[in-house]
Amino acid sequence: MGSRARGSVVVAVLGLAAGGCAVLGLGGPSYGDDLSVDDDGTGGHERVTLSDGSELAVGYVGDGEYAAQWSDPEGEGWTSPQTVVDGGDLVAAGVQLDADGMTAVASFDWYGADDDERETYARVDAAVCRDVSCEPIEGAGGPELAQDGTFATVTIPNDDVRSTDPAPPYRIATWTAEGGRWEQTTVEGPPLDMQSFLRPGLVLLEDGRLATVRTDESDGCRYVLWAGEPRSSELTEVYRTPSLGGSYCVLDDVRSTGTAVTFSTSTTGDTAAIRPSGDSWTDDLPESGLLAVEDRGRRAGIAMQPVRLEDGSTTAIGSPDGRRIVAQYRPRGEREWTRPATVARAAPGQRCRGAEAEYLTDSTDVVFLVACWPEDAASGDQYGGPTPVSGLALGSADGRRWVARPLDRPAFVPQVQLQPSLLVSRGAEESLLWREGARAFDVVRLPLPNPTVDGLVVTGGEAFRATGNPDRRRPCRPRWDVAPVDATAWSYGGPILPIPGYARRPADCYGDVMDEAGYGYTDVPAGRKIEVGAVIESLSGSVEGTLVRRGGRWQLR
């Protein structure tokens, strides 16, 4: 399926990590104690069985310490507790323990002493335990162990690098049963990523080979495996997948199953695997990929945008030329996509350059909004630039059969409404509703001044909007409105006040509406409240209120 390639790396040995927690007596270990490291439940404890039938228990014993005990293979008792790591004033958050052969690796999590929220770990430590002794390493998490238990690795974070900097080389520590100590190493083989927080993970296969995955968009979308020999930190490019089409290629969540490297892929919309096959490698990506779309600037089409549905199937929408909108489908468990089928066309004189999707949970309903501009005109996206002049809403109940309807000045992205469950496509003169299992869009013929940033909710036979700029002559004067869902004009409404004096530009204000299912407030009876807001974008502020029905009319509270 793919091809082998060659590359080279530089590996620099930085030094040794301090550690070592237990030593054997001259007569070997003593098993005269009872198990005690799992008595204190505040910091967690774990037990694993080693290949000779003995057990290792690691648990929190108080005073900032985790300790280890080994059981006698003959079942005669346990060793005395031996300190593995000491967190000092940090708060113990838990331990994870895994074993292969006669070796175990442990990961220890710590919260800050003054962290009441306890959402982020202040420190993560690791240790490898073998021959009734543990070797810890501070500030490194996620230890991985080869299947024979004689080689382990752990990743060391680059805490001094900002998330927007180019990713530096991997920093890892390796441990061998022969050496018995952690040794820190820099791996410089795989190409750097644009931003450090996007760098794919470095994983260990069960045979002791390190591996990671990169993307290559020079010819459609390819995924590139970098791997080393067993126990080696030197990585080279060893495998490339066939071109899968599409010009936007993203991967995430690189993991090891032991025998394969897995990752999530934007091109197929699900998880893929690359695994050894004799002297080479193979993958389980689709044999017939998505349509490849050439990037030709303003004359480019739309790269195929895959969406994985609730039943495990994957559907995709794109355009080879910006005029003809095509769809492809891949059933769950299948490796081949269907041939591209035309499902809609751009309006005359228009070229479509973007597509975004949303879907309903617990169903296979999906809606794409396709954004279009005049030929050779500049385009934008939801984060900036010119807004769409025209567009198309594409709806499907199963990802295979599509309904298309044009929209004037549409939003970039469909909205998901929770109660009732709807997919909402906003447009200037009319908006479209897609209900679960639908065969056609419901049409709401109520205008939105700024469809890309106006909020719209439909519930109980009524439509509600919040708009940041209802009057182009007086920007940033947000208001709310309500009307029957089958009306053609808004019935009544009012301003959303007060708006700060610094909010004066059109870009400063946009609308937001959310029904009771979205906010979950309980201070007003169900079905009688709508939340509206006018958000001051430039300063991340907001002015919010709740619409409450009183005397048959809605009022802003």
Side-chain angles (χ1 to χ4, degrees):
M1 295 216 18
S3 60
R4 295 175 63 89
R6 296 179 179 178
S8 62
V9 298
V10 177
V11 179
V13 177
L14 302 180
L16 299 178
C21 73
V23 295
L24 303 182
L26 296 178
S30 171
Y31 298 102
D33 281 41
D34 293 329
L35 179 62
S36 59
V37 297
D38 61 351
D39 289 343
D40 190 331
T42 59
H45 63 273
E46 292 281 340
R47 289 170 64 171
V48 292
T49 301
L50 305 177
S51 59
D52 68 349
S54 63
E55 287 187 276
L56 168 64
V58 177
Y60 187 67
V61 294
D63 296 327
E65 294 185 359
Y66 279 94
Q69 287 182 273
W70 284 260
S71 72
D72 183 355
E74 305 299 327
E76 298 298 326
W78 293 80
T79 62
S80 59
Q82 303 169 6
T83 299
V84 181
V85 292
D86 189 337
D89 293 333
L90 297 175
V91 179
V95 57
Q96 297 83 45
L97 192 61
D98 293 295
D100 270 305
M102 289 296 295
T103 307
V105 289
S107 182
F108 305 90
D109 302 323
W110 305 92
Y111 292 124
D114 300 324
D115 182 8
D116 296 329
E117 299 295 330
R118 297 188 176 180
E119 295 179 350
T120 304
Y121 297 132
R123 198 177 87 194
V124 178
D125 300 332
V128 60
C129 300
R130 182 182 174 91
D131 295 334
V132 200
S133 177
C134 291
E135 177 77 6
I137 180 168
E138 183 178 308
E144 296 185 281
L145 184 63
Q147 188 177 38
D148 63 4
T150 64
F151 181 71
T153 64
V154 68
T155 300
I156 302 171
N158 289 282
D159 294 331
D160 57 341
V161 178
R162 297 176 302 175
S163 64
T164 54
D165 288 343
Y170 291 101
R171 291 180 59 208
I172 66 170
T174 62
W175 172 95
T176 63
E178 298 82 2
R181 296 177 67 82
W182 290 106
E183 188 174 80
Q184 293 192 31
T185 301
T186 300
V187 181
E188 298 183 352
L192 302 183
D193 294 276
M194 292 178 60
Q195 295 178 321
S196 60
F197 72 93
L198 294 175
R199 182 175 64 174
L202 183 70
V203 299
L204 183 69
L205 297 171
E206 65 181 18
D207 62 2
R209 286 189 282 189
L210 285 166
T212 189
V213 182
R214 293 293 189 272
T215 61
D216 184 348
E217 299 179 54
S218 60
D219 177 22
C221 176
R222 296 178 186 267
Y223 294 95
V224 183
L225 179 69
W226 288 72
E229 296 298 321
R231 288 195 176 199
S232 173
S233 299
E234 300 184 8
L235 304 190
T236 59
E237 182 185 312
V238 297
Y239 182 79
R240 285 174 172 252
T241 69
S243 178
L244 300 172
S247 60
Y248 185 55
C249 191
V250 175
L251 68 89
D252 189 23
D253 197 26
V254 177
R255 296 175 180 264
S256 169
T257 66
T259 58
V261 180
T262 65
F263 53 95
S264 299
T265 158
S266 65
T267 310
T268 62
D270 53 12
T271 300
I274 301 176
R275 54 177 48 86
S277 176
D279 294 333
S280 185
W281 300 77
T282 187
D283 64 72
D284 62 359
L285 289 160
E287 294 178 351
S288 175
L290 292 175
L291 175 70
V293 177
E294 183 181 354
D295 187 356
R296 295 176 293 164
R298 293 183 180 179
R299 295 188 177 275
I302 303 171
M304 299 301 293
Q305 305 294 311
V307 174
R308 189 175 188 184
L309 304 178
E310 287 291 317
D311 65 354
S313 64
T314 308
T315 190
I317 290 288
S319 174
D321 55 11
R323 299 185 179 93
R324 183 167 56 92
I325 311 303
V326 300
Q328 290 180 265
Y329 178 77
R330 184 167 64 93
R332 177 181 180 180
E334 297 293 329
R335 300 189 65 186
E336 294 190 8
W337 291 87
T338 60
R339 294 177 61 86
T342 300
V343 293
R345 294 184 182 274
Q350 300 283 299
R351 190 183 293 271
C352 304
R353 301 195 185 98
E356 298 285 346
E358 286 290 358
Y359 56 90
L360 296 178
T361 58
D362 301 324
S363 77
T364 54
D365 292 86
V366 60
V367 164
F368 279 85
L369 265 179
V370 179
C372 313
W373 290 261
E375 293 273 5
D376 297 324
S379 60
D381 57 28
Q382 58 185 308
Y383 304 107
T387 56
V389 173
S390 66
L392 296 156
L394 303 171
S396 176
D398 57 10
R400 291 177 290 178
R401 291 170 286 271
W402 293 91
V403 176
R405 188 177 177 97
L407 281 173
D408 179 46
R409 294 195 294 121
F412 285 105
V413 184
Q415 285 184 329
V416 180
Q417 185 174 312
L418 300 179
Q419 185 177 338
S421 183
L422 295 171
L423 294 170
V424 183
S425 301
R426 294 160 291 161
E429 300 302 325
E430 62 181 31
S431 298
L432 306 175
L433 311 178
W434 186 269
R435 304 179 188 274
E436 183 175 345
R439 296 184 178 180
F441 287 101
D442 292 341
V443 182
V444 177
R445 293 181 172 85
L446 290 166
L448 297 177
N450 307 279
T452 59
V453 292
D454 287 349
L456 178 68
V457 157
V458 175
T459 182
E462 293 178 295
F464 302 81
R465 80 168 181 183
T467 177
N469 300 280
D471 187 346
R472 294 185 179 182
R473 297 167 299 179
R474 303 179 64 207
C476 208
R477 295 293 186 269
R479 64 174 285 122
W480 63 273
D481 291 280
V482 62
V485 73
D486 57 357
T488 58
W490 295 100
S491 300
Y492 63 92
I496 304 174
L497 297 171
I499 296 297
Y502 51 72
R504 298 176 179 177
R505 302 172 304 165
D508 286 341
C509 288
Y510 62 93
D512 185 30
V513 187
M514 191 170 290
D515 65 354
E516 59 187 292
Y519 274 94
Y521 291 143
T522 58
D523 58 341
V524 179
R528 295 179 57 189
K529 60 183 179 301
I530 298 291
E531 189 76 10
V532 299
V535 180
I536 314 303
E537 185 173 32
S538 60
L539 296 176
S540 299
S542 65
V543 179
E544 297 178 347
T546 302
L547 293 175
V548 180
R549 186 188 291 277
R550 291 184 178 138
R553 290 176 65 87
W554 293 91
Q555 299 179 17
L556 183 65
R557 190 179 67 176

